[in-house]
Amino acid sequence: MKNKFVIPVLFLALVAVTGWGYSQFQMRRQWEISAENQYQRSYEELTGHVNNMETAMSKAMVASSFPQSISLLTSVWREANSSQENLGQLPLTSMELNRTKTLLAKVSTFSYNAAQNRLLKGNRPTESEWKNLSGLRDQTRVVSKHLLNLRQQFFNNRARWLEVDRLGTLGAAGAPASLNSNKVTKAFLMLEDGLRRVPDIQFEGNNLDFVPKPTGLSGSNITARDAVDVARRFLGTEYKTANIQYEQLIKGGFQSYMLRATGPRNTSQDRRLSISVKGGHVAWMLGNRPVAKSNLSLNQAEERAKAFLTRNGYTNMRGVGRERFANIATISFVPDRNGVLYYPELIKVQVAQDNGEILGFDSTAYLTFHEPQGIPAGSPKINEAQVRKTINPHLRVERVQMAQVLDEMYNKVLCYEVQGTQGRDRYLTYYNATSGKEEKIRRIDGNGNEVQ
């Protein structure tokens, strides 16, 4: 008699488990398709921007009028900046692409400086400047050719970005990753090798070797054992008895300890952390688990993230950007000190929208630009009323706020941040608080994220 009930119950349980497993498989599959499409879109945009950059540089080499020259150099600068952004969105953290990144930065700096010389000083291009432009154009052609060839790899050989992403994950975990065995990474290694074969370009005003010295790394050097204690306090009381192990030392200008925390209840709570040798500051923390559903709004996720920051000593933080992907909210914060927003000191926090768990934390920018001595942003030389007179009359102003931003050379600049709308579009415009110069314009969505 019992078997008559047991068998149907077991059958229903099997159906339920099978259905749950299939739904998880489908969810994972949808995430992979979405991630692959995003990577491919970034790559296509990178290819297009580099090609446009090469075309504009070629035209600038034969332009004779000031308007054409300025227009083309400005276009080169814009395309170079977009290329840098797209390259940064690709899962290539397992690779050293120093030459490619340096080239894009050089083109951006050179074209910006050249355009400024034309516009502000009326200078005509010198023979040396023309040769530098020619050399940068030739290097850009090398990059463009390799990117177009790699595009064929995606169509002909079905290369996938997610495979590259997994290589990066293995590398971050300390596992060996064979870059030559993957079509995509091999193509970028060939690109780096190709750039080694062309002459390097040096020019006046080249500030590309400048690497901001992290000013937020205060305190004495700590040991790996100290770093374990730092990680335990950072993760909170739930990880009080968790197993936290030191994995390796990351060398370089920003030396840090890599640690792994094993979840106290299950592997979905595993976390990896990077903690600076100097001062014992958490540079980043990352967890990795699928989030099946969204129970929390972006507002609620921001509240969880802010509470997490406050617990870890980051007070007076203002949320300036929010985005959602795969039921994980990423909230961007900057310090608000005495009415000034310090954008260089950006911190990002990832929150799982099913239960509010903190999955990620990134304070790299904060540690690079924070001033522990409390150096103020300075005092404005012009007032808000003077700024308002220069604002485009078609912009409907909603708010004016003091803010510190970075210019193209990573200098900190005190500005008036003007938030306003034009039609359905929302903008943040920055005016230099000393000169009144319009430093930059950002178009943003309703959550503060920049719209290209």
Side-chain angles (χ1 to χ4, degrees), residues 29-213:
R29 178 62 178 159
Q30 290 175 4
W31 177 85
E32 289 184 346
I33 292 173
S34 178
E36 184 70 31
N37 289 341
Q38 282 201 354
Y39 287 142
Q40 188 60 36
R41 182 183 64 185
S42 295
Y43 178 76
E44 291 293 333
E45 290 178 356
L46 169 64
T47 303
H49 287 309
V50 171
N51 183 65
N52 294 341
M53 187 169 71
E54 189 274 334
T55 300
M57 292 169 76
S58 297
K59 292 179 179 179
M61 290 175 62
V62 298
S64 59
S65 68
F66 275 112
Q68 274 291 338
S69 180
I70 293 171
S71 175
L72 289 167
L73 287 170
T74 303
S75 178
V76 172
W77 174 64
R78 183 174 59 251
E79 299 289 352
N81 286 345
S82 297
S83 297
Q84 289 176 287
E85 183 175 343
N86 289 130
L87 183 62
Q89 292 171 350
L90 296 176
L92 297 170
T93 53
S94 59
M95 306 185 65
E96 293 289 341
L97 298 176
N98 293 333
R99 290 186 176 271
T100 304
K101 293 176 181 178
T102 298
L103 171 61
L104 295 177
K106 278 186 176 182
V107 172
S108 174
T109 301
F110 176 84
S111 57
Y112 178 82
N113 290 343
Q116 289 287 90
N117 285 334
R118 304 284 194 284
L119 185 62
L120 301 180
K121 302 177 182 179
N123 293 347
R124 290 188 175 275
T126 63
E127 185 64 20
S128 174
E129 189 178 66
W130 189 92
K131 288 180 179 179
N132 286 334
L133 180 59
S134 176
L136 291 172
R137 189 276 310 271
D138 292 343
Q139 290 189 4
T140 302
R141 278 183 173 172
V142 173
V143 178
S144 182
K145 179 181 177 181
H146 275 79
L147 293 177
L148 290 171
N149 288 340
L150 181 55
R151 177 191 278 173
Q152 292 301 314
Q153 295 273 8
F154 284 101
F155 286 112
N156 298 337
N157 301 323
R158 296 182 178 179
R160 299 184 69 218
W161 284 106
L162 285 180
E163 295 175 5
V164 181
D165 200 358
R166 292 187 184 100
L167 285 177
T169 303
L170 288 173
S178 179
L179 301 179
N180 280 310
S181 64
N182 181 274
K183 298 181 180 66
V184 178
T185 54
K186 185 177 181 179
F188 276 96
L189 289 175
M190 292 174 63
L191 170 56
E192 285 286 292
D193 185 62
L195 289 176
R196 290 189 185 95
R197 301 173 189 273
V198 295
D200 195 15
I201 308 297
Q202 297 295 333
F203 53 89
E204 185 179 353
N206 180 359
N207 198 29
L208 301 172
D209 293 331
F210 167 72
V211 177
K213 182 180 179 181

Side-chain angles (χ1 to χ4, degrees), residues 365-394:
Y366 182 92
L367 294 177
T368 301
F369 293 105
H370 176 60
E371 300 283 356
Q373 298 82 7
I375 299 176
S379 302
K381 304 299 183 186
I382 60 177
N383 57 40
E384 181 179 326
Q386 291 173 294
V387 169
R388 285 182 176 271
K389 291 179 181 179
T390 66
I391 297 173
N392 189 307
H394 296 285

Side-chain angles (χ1 to χ4, degrees), residues 370-434:
H370 176 60
E371 300 283 356
Q373 298 82 7
I375 299 176
S379 302
K381 304 299 183 186
I382 60 177
N383 57 40
E384 181 179 326
Q386 291 173 294
V387 169
R388 285 182 176 271
K389 291 179 181 179
T390 66
I391 297 173
N392 189 307
H394 296 285
L395 184 71
R396 182 173 176 270
V397 177
E398 296 178 338
R399 174 179 59 81
V400 178
Q401 162 88 50
M402 297 303 300
Q404 185 188 78
V405 299
L406 295 176
D407 65 12
E408 298 298 330
M409 296 301 178
Y410 298 99
N411 298 309
K412 297 175 181 177
V413 181
L414 180 63
C415 291
Y416 285 95
E417 178 187 73
V418 178
Q419 178 176 303
T421 58
Q422 198 287 308
R424 296 183 178 180
D425 294 327
R426 183 175 298 275
Y427 297 90
L428 290 176
T429 307
Y430 297 88
Y431 294 88
N432 191 301
T434 299

